[in-house]
């Protein structure tokens, strides 16, 4: 039966309007932003304490987020407290429980656990289909999570990347960083580490540690006494007990077991009430538990050994402890929020940023050393530290998640620094000796040399240092051009020029800012430009003391040494400081001007314009001045010595006279008694430190603060302080 003509006319219109309505509804639906499906995967009690605040924030915003929770790892093991129950008690729906731990607590079982997790995770992720997976920290379980998500094209947000610590955790953390698409870090230093690892700055959020949101809000709660009594007994008093948390160091299990045994012995002898937590599930934990039982810790009335404490209760226990001891990150991170004294043992947290409340015992090799640390720290009061957060991490993270654009390409892009173009080598380049020109401009002489990359001097040129700026620049250029020309004859290819000069130097600009009277007309001098223009080579300029330090680092006693001071003595006195393998210039480019430390207010005038500087007493010019005084008084020369009429008297004559038995010359060099208004005996120490040619034994270096650009070093010998 066919429709009537009236129906035929009406139906096309209805169909048209119906289609328009559908298109409109579809567009409105697409315009409405869909919820971001976030999967939070937690592996153990420690990472849940960091992830829980984020989970609460996601759950509290159902209009923007859909939360899926995956639980795996030691959460599901009875020996470690079945801590998945606290997730359920926090009223979170667990969407997947994965038994991924292969028992054994050794290296092989850790590898097998990662493999088991990789086998089980794909089914869960296929079912949940999250837009983003949040992974925390540096555990082997987290590595399995990040690997699975990355291979299944799921975006990863990594919490607490960029930090530095000891053990295999460091490598795992950085491996997860390379897999992750977004990063939430806790400190500015961690942020800089991530940038240095070529991560995109736009995908890094400096939020602070999420656990600090809970920590700082819990500081003023009044119900802490009931928590203390629950875990430590009714007779417990605030600040009269110790919290101990120590884990195995997977890269040196044998040593960590020995250290744990010494720690227990020290705690037993210290005889204070102690709450001790069982170690985590890393390789070596089973042996640590055996050590605890061998020492009778669980039967000792002064100890309470527990597998797990809920985080909100644990932070109250830490906040009101007289001391915390062990190698847990909680000690160097969370404890600082309360100013709780901490003793950090061993290398597990090496590199972590810490507050002044942390005392490091990195070489915890004796019971007495650990016991002494307990005596120093127990019951002390420290200011609260907020290195790792200000209590507002979660709002920042949620805001960051809302800005994620899922339409962006999933493929990560790394922000590599610019690199030099590869140089195509020809036979001449291979056969030639790669070299540099070295220019040494001192108070007396001007030297230029051709130096091979191995540090060998191929050819050296020496002239007296002219007195005027014009003559000096002209001579430097003349000597450099001569050396560059001779380099061809010696089969050397000059790659650049390095200039070592007295005075205060801005190495970034290649400018001598200021010099003493030793080098006249040597202020605000641009050395780099004229020499670079003349030779068409890159030119580096720095203070002579700094250059000496770099030379020691490259070729001398500083090889492989992270922290040292180099002292140079000649016409003047200078030095260079290397700290953490970096040359220290100081904010004013004078961090190591050791010769201009004042040791006497009324001392002799120094070439810098001040009075009583070390250089005014111990430099070559100062010793020459003393030699001339003795010579004018006919008290310098002894039998066997002579000075010609036209021969200038120098410091060498003073040293020679002392060596040949001249008691007055010897007294000047030794400076046993105060002279010339020197009001204290510090000069003798300064002379011993800064005139190493006079030393016969190593002596202690002066202690100086990092804020001044100086550092503490344990010994001095032969002009090299390490």
């Amino acid at each position: 039966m066919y429709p009537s003509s009236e129906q035929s006319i009406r139906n096309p219109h209805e169909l048209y309007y119906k289609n328009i309505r559908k298109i409109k509804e579809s567009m409105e639906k697409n315009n409405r932003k869909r919820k971001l499906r976030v999967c939070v995967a937690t592996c153990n009690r420690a990472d849940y304490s960091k992830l829980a605040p984020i989970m609460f924030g996601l759950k509290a915003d159902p209009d923007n987020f859909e939360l899926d929770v995956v639980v795996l790892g030691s959460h599901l093991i009875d020996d470690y407290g079945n801590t998945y129950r606290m997730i359920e008690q926090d009223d979170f729906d667990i969407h997947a429980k994965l038994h991924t731990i292969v028992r054994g607590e050794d290296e092989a079982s850790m590898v097998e656990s990662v493999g088991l997790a990789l086998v089980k995770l794909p089914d869960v992720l296929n079912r949940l289909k999250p837009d983003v997976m949040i992974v925390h920290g540096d555990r082997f379980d987290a590595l399995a999570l990040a690997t699975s998500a990355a291979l299944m094209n799921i975006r990863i947000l990594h919490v607490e990347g960029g930090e530095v610590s000891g053990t295999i955790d460091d490598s795992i953390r950085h491996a997860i960083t390379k897999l992750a698409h977004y990063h939430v870090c806790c400190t500015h230093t961690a942020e800089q580490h991530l940038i240095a690892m070529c991560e995109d700055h736009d995908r890094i959020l400096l939020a602070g540690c999420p656990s600090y949101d809970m920590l700082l809000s819990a500081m003023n709660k009044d119900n802490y006494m009931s928590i203390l009594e629950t875990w430590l007994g009714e007779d417990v008093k605030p600040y009269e007990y110790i919290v101990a948390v120590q884990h195995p160091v997977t890269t040196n299990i044998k040593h960590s077991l020995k250290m744990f045994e010494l720690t227990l012995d020290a705690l037993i002898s210290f005889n204070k009430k102690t709450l001790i937590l069982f170690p985590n599930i890393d390789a070596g934990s089973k042996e640590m538990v055996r050590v605890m039982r061998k020492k009778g810790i669980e039967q000792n009335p002064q100890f309470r050994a527990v597998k797990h404490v809920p985080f909100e209760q644990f932070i109250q226990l830490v906040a009101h402890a007289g001391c915390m001891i062990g190698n847990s990150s909680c000690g160097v991170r969370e404890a600082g929020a309360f100013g709780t004294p901490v003793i950090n043992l061993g290398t597990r947290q090496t590199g972590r940023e810490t507050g002044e409340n942390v005392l490091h015992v990195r070489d915890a090799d004796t019971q007495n050393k650990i016991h002494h640390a307990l005596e120093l720290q127990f019951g002390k009061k420290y200011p609260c530290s907020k290195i790792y957060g200000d209590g507002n991490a979660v709002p920042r993270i949620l805001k960051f998640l809302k800005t994620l654009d899922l339409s962006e390409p999933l493929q990560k892009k790394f922000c590599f620094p610019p690199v030099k173009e590869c140089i195509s080598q020809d036979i001449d380049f291979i056969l030639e000796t790669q070299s540099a020109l070295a220019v040494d401009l001192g108070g007396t002489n001007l030297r230029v040399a051709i130096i091979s990359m191995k540090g060998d001097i191929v050819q050296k040129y020496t002239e007296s240092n002219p007195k005027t700026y014009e003559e000096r620049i002209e001579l430097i250029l003349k000597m450099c051009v001569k050396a560059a020309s001779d380099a061809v004859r010696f089969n050397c290819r000059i790659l650049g020029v390095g200039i070592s000069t007295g005075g205060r130097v801005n190495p970034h600009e290649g400018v001598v800012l200021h010099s003493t009277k030793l080098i006249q007309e040597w202020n605000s001098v641009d050395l780099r430009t004229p020499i670079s223009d003349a030779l068409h080579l890159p030119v580096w300029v720095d203070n002579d003391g700094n250059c000496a330090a770099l030379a020691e680092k490259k070729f001398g006693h500083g090889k492989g040494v992270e922290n040292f001071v180099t002292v140079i003595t000649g016409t003047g006195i200078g030095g260079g400081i290397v700290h953490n393998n970096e040359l220290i210039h100081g904010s004013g480019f004078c961090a190591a001007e050791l010769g201009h430390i004042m040791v006497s207010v009324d001392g002799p005038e120094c070439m810098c314009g001040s009075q009583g500087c070390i250089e005014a007493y111990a430099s070559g010019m100062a010793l020459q001045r003393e030699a001339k005084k003795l010579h004018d008084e006919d008290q310098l020369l002894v039998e066997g010595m002579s000075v010609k009429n036209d021969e200038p008297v120098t410091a060498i004559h003073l040293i020679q006279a002392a060596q040949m038995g001249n008691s007055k010359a010897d007294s000047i060099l030794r400076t046993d008694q105060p002279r010339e208004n020197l009001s204290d005996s510090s000069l003798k120490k300064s002379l011993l430190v800064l005139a190493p040619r006079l030393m016969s034994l190593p002596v202690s270096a002066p202690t100086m603060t990092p804020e001044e650009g100086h550092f503490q070093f344990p010994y001095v010998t032969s002009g090299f302080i390490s």
Side-chain angles (χ1 to χ4, degrees):
M1 179 179 178
Y2 295 99
S4 65
S5 59
E6 185 179 350
Q7 286 177 317
S8 300
I9 295 170
R10 188 178 67 246
N11 285 345
H13 290 285
E14 290 179 354
L15 185 61
Y16 170 78
Y17 287 115
K18 188 175 182 181
N19 287 338
I20 289 293
R21 189 165 55 251
K22 282 183 178 180
I23 292 170
K24 195 173 181 180
E25 288 174 355
S26 177
M27 290 177 64
E28 289 176 353
K29 184 178 180 181
N30 289 333
N31 286 334
R32 288 197 298 268
K33 187 179 178 181
R34 74 176 181 87
K35 297 178 184 179
L36 187 72
R37 188 156 193 171
V38 181
C39 176
V40 179
T42 172
C43 312
N44 54 63
R45 66 192 182 196
D47 79 2
Y48 181 65
S49 68
K50 314 293 177 66
L51 294 171
I54 301 174
M55 293 163 64
F56 280 117
L58 293 169
K59 186 179 178 181
D61 191 358
D63 293 336
N64 290 295
F65 303 107
E66 187 173 343
L67 174 63
D68 294 327
V69 179
V70 175
V71 173
L72 65 159
S74 59
H75 273 309
L76 303 170
I77 298 179
D78 181 61
D79 287 350
Y80 294 89
N82 279 328
T83 48
Y84 74 90
R85 290 173 183 156
M86 67 183 180
I87 302 173
E88 294 176 335
Q89 290 169 2
D90 286 338
D91 202 25
F92 289 113
D93 294 329
I94 298 176
H95 296 80
K97 295 178 183 175
L98 299 180
H99 292 270
T100 57
I101 296 298
V102 177
R103 301 304 300 272
E105 285 77 26
D106 58 14
E107 294 94 334
S109 63
M110 289 170 64
V111 177
E112 291 167 351
S113 297
V114 171
L116 185 57
L118 288 171
V119 170
K120 293 188 173 185
L121 279 166
D123 287 340
V124 173
L125 297 180
N126 268 329
R127 174 168 56 85
L128 297 177
K129 290 183 169 51
D131 298 313
V132 178
M133 171 174 278
I134 298 181
V135 177
H136 168 269
D138 48 28
R139 308 293 301 144
F140 59 86
D141 321 73
L143 179 61
L145 286 164
T147 303
S148 301
L151 291 173
M152 297 183 70
N153 291 325
I154 297 170
R155 298 167 193 270
I156 303 165
L157 185 142
H158 183 209
V159 179
E160 291 188 12
E163 297 185 16
V164 178
S165 64
T167 78
I168 193 66
D169 295 354
D170 229 16
S171 301
I172 293 175
R173 185 187 311 108
H174 300 329
I176 296 173
T177 290
K178 302 322 293 176
L179 293 169
H181 302 81
Y182 311 102
H183 312 274
V184 172
C185 57
C186 301
T187 69
H188 176 69
T189 301
E191 179 185 35
Q192 293 304 307
H193 288 163
L194 290 171
I195 294 171
M197 292 167 69
C198 306
E199 295 300 318
D200 187 347
H201 199 175
D202 292 336
R203 296 191 170 203
I204 301 171
L205 173 67
L206 176 55
C209 182
S211 65
Y212 265 59
D213 291 24
M214 188 182 297
L215 286 175
L216 299 177
S217 64
M219 289 178 67
N220 300 318
K221 289 190 176 179
D222 298 327
N223 63 338
Y224 66 87
M225 274 309 302
S226 62
I227 296 171
L228 269 57
E229 290 170 357
T230 299
W231 294 100
L232 288 155
E234 295 182 357
D235 58 338
V236 67
K237 295 179 180 178
Y239 311 109
E240 291 293 324
Y241 62 89
I242 296 169
V243 174
V245 186
Q246 198 155 333
H247 303 301
V249 178
T250 55
T251 50
N252 195 342
I253 295 173
K254 185 177 179 181
H255 176 72
S256 65
L257 291 174
K258 178 64 176 175
M259 185 172 65
F260 186 53
E261 190 170 356
L262 294 171
T263 303
L264 293 179
D265 289 339
L267 287 169
I268 290 168
S269 64
F270 198 64
N271 199 33
K272 295 290 183 183
K273 192 172 285 293
T274 301
L275 178 74
I276 183 167
L277 270 72
F278 278 73
N280 65 20
I281 201 167
D282 281 351
S285 60
K286 188 160 52 177
E287 289 82 357
M288 289 182 72
V289 173
R290 288 197 190 105
V291 172
M292 288 175 63
R293 286 171 179 158
K294 176 184 171 184
K295 299 284 182 183
I297 295 300
E298 291 170 290
Q299 289 75 42
N300 191 315
Q302 287 290 75
F303 286 81
R304 292 290 180 92
V306 298
K307 295 176 180 177
H308 168 70
V309 180
F311 183 69
E312 65 277 5
Q313 297 181 35
F314 182 68
I315 58 178
Q316 294 293 346
L317 290 162
V318 171
H320 296 92
C323 179
M324 185 174 182
I325 188 171
N327 61 6
S328 169
S329 62
C330 177
V332 299
R333 295 171 63 97
E334 281 81 2
F338 309 111
T340 301
V342 173
I343 300 167
N344 178 48
L345 301 175
T347 60
R348 190 170 183 266
Q349 301 301 331
T350 297
R352 291 270 194 196
E353 297 172 71
T354 61
E356 61 181 287
N357 64 309
V358 180
L359 175 64
H360 298 280
V361 187
R362 292 188 175 91
D363 191 15
D365 54 354
T366 67
Q367 177 186 334
N368 287 340
K369 192 181 290 186
I370 300 171
H371 192 280
H372 184 57
L374 285 165
E375 290 175 337
L376 290 173
Q377 285 288 80
F378 187 78
K380 286 187 76 172
K381 301 291 183 184
Y382 289 100
C384 298
S385 166
K386 293 185 180 179
I387 294 174
Y388 286 95
D390 60 1
N392 296 299
V394 172
R396 294 186 185 112
I397 294 169
L398 297 183
K399 184 178 179 181
F400 182 73
L401 285 170
K402 290 175 185 177
T403 65
L404 298 188
D405 184 359
L406 300 182
S407 65
E408 285 185 349
L410 187 68
Q411 177 61 47
K412 276 189 70 170
K413 290 184 179 179
F414 298 102
C415 301
F416 294 106
V419 294
K420 293 181 180 179
E421 292 183 9
C422 181
I423 300 173
S424 298
Q425 295 192 8
D426 57 31
I427 190 67
D428 291 334
F429 187 85
I430 295 169
L431 294 177
E432 288 175 332
T433 302
Q434 297 184 50
S435 308
L437 290 186
V439 180
D440 178 24
L441 199 151
T444 306
N445 294 312
L446 173 59
R447 301 180 182 90
V448 174
I450 304 170
I451 309 290
S452 75
M453 289 304 173
K454 295 180 180 178
D456 299 325
I457 298 176
V458 178
Q459 182 71 4
K460 184 168 71 172
Y461 313 83
T462 303
E463 299 282 353
S464 296
N465 191 352
K467 300 299 182 184
T468 67
Y469 162 76
E470 289 82 4
E471 292 175 329
R472 190 175 299 124
I473 289 291
E474 183 181 350
L475 182 58
I476 292 172
L477 288 171
K478 180 181 176 181
M479 293 176 72
C480 285
V481 170
K482 167 68 173 168
S485 176
D486 289 350
V488 177
R489 180 163 52 90
F490 293 112
N491 198 34
C492 293
R493 176 172 292 198
I494 304 299
L495 303 178
V497 183
I499 302 177
S500 163
T501 175
R504 189 162 60 92
V505 178
N506 179 342
H508 311 303
E509 304 293 335
V511 174
V512 180
L513 300 173
H514 172 74
S515 182
T516 67
K517 297 175 185 176
L518 284 176
I519 308 178
Q520 299 173 11
E521 299 184 16
W522 209 235
N523 299 326
S524 302
V525 176
D526 180 1
L527 268 179
R528 175 181 294 166
T529 302
I531 297 174
S532 181
D533 289 347
L535 299 177
H536 304 289
L537 290 170
V539 176
W540 291 267
V541 186
D542 210 333
N543 170 268
D544 49 9
N546 291 334
C547 291
L550 289 175
E552 289 291 345
K553 182 69 180 170
K554 178 73 175 176
F555 302 110
H557 295 293
K559 273 187 176 181
V561 182
E562 289 187 6
N563 306 301
F564 66 85
V565 169
T566 297
V567 178
I568 59 171
T569 58
T571 306
I573 290 174
I577 297 171
V578 172
H579 178 62
N580 286 343
N581 290 315
E582 295 287 339
L583 184 66
I584 303 299
H585 285 94
S587 58
F589 306 109
C590 53
E593 289 291 352
L594 306 177
H596 299 291
I597 298 172
M598 185 183 292
V599 292
S600 174
V601 176
D602 301 321
E605 184 179 358
C606 180
M607 298 299 285
C608 70
S610 184
Q611 284 185 297
C613 296
I614 291 172
E615 187 171 293
Y617 287 101
S619 66
M621 288 195 69
L623 296 179
Q624 182 183 34
R625 183 189 66 231
E626 297 297 327
K628 286 180 177 178
K629 281 185 183 179
L630 289 181
H631 186 61
D632 292 343
E633 298 168 1
D634 293 327
Q635 296 182 11
L636 176 65
L637 303 181
V638 296
E639 186 176 351
M641 280 187 68
S642 64
V643 178
K644 297 177 183 178
N645 291 333
D646 58 344
E647 182 184 358
V649 176
T650 66
I652 295 174
H653 294 107
L654 184 72
I655 296 170
Q656 185 182 0
Q659 291 173 341
M660 296 178 70
N662 186 325
S663 59
K664 290 196 174 182
D666 186 65
S667 175
I668 290 170
L669 292 179
R670 294 185 178 280
T671 322
D672 285 326
Q673 302 297 329
R675 297 184 302 110
E676 296 193 10
N677 300 320
L678 183 60
S679 58
D680 55 55
S681 61
S682 64
L683 177 58
K684 181 179 179 183
K685 298 175 183 176
S686 302
L687 286 168
L688 286 173
V689 172
L690 298 176
R693 63 175 178 270
L694 303 179
M695 291 193 302
S696 58
L697 291 172
V699 297
S700 296
T703 299
M704 294 169 275
T705 63
E707 288 76 17
E708 298 169 326
H710 304 288
F711 304 86
Q712 182 175 354
F713 303 89
Y715 68 86
V716 184
T717 177
S718 300
F720 178 80
I721 308 177
S722 170

